[in-house]
Amino acid sequence: MQFLFAVRVQGSLASVTGEQREREVAYVREKYAADSVRHIWSRTDVAGACLLIEASSAAAARAVIEGLPLMQAGLLVIETFVPLQPYRGFAAAAN
């Protein structure tokens, strides 16, 4: 299953240290290599990101997000959590 998360930095982006950013990037790369993070985008409306997570359950997807170093440091907040399913319009038509 896939899950879409929109997260934003809580407070000022200036409060995020270089070391925290490096740990965040390393974690996301690790999860991307493991096929947990399918896509990630930086947000242009606020400081934050949108992530498309592949997981067996909503709890497993949340665990990936909650493992983000900035989330663990209390610097991120989840704004949106959307469980996704395949678009039915692309399913094979019944005869």
Side-chain angles (χ1 to χ4, degrees), residues 32-82:
Y32 184 84
D35 290 330
S36 295
V37 173
R38 289 299 182 116
H39 297 283
I40 184 167
W41 302 269
S42 294
R43 293 179 61 174
T44 60
D45 58 337
V46 296
C50 290
L51 300 96
L52 183 63
I53 304 296
E54 182 82 31
S56 59
S57 67
R62 283 188 177 275
V64 171
I65 296 299
E66 290 171 3
L68 289 164
L70 294 181
M71 184 68 79
Q72 292 181 342
L75 296 171
L76 289 180
V77 62
I78 298 171
E79 285 190 333
T80 305
F81 165 67
V82 181

Side-chain angles (χ1 to χ4, degrees), residues 86-93:
Y87 178 61
R88 288 177 284 213
F90 293 148

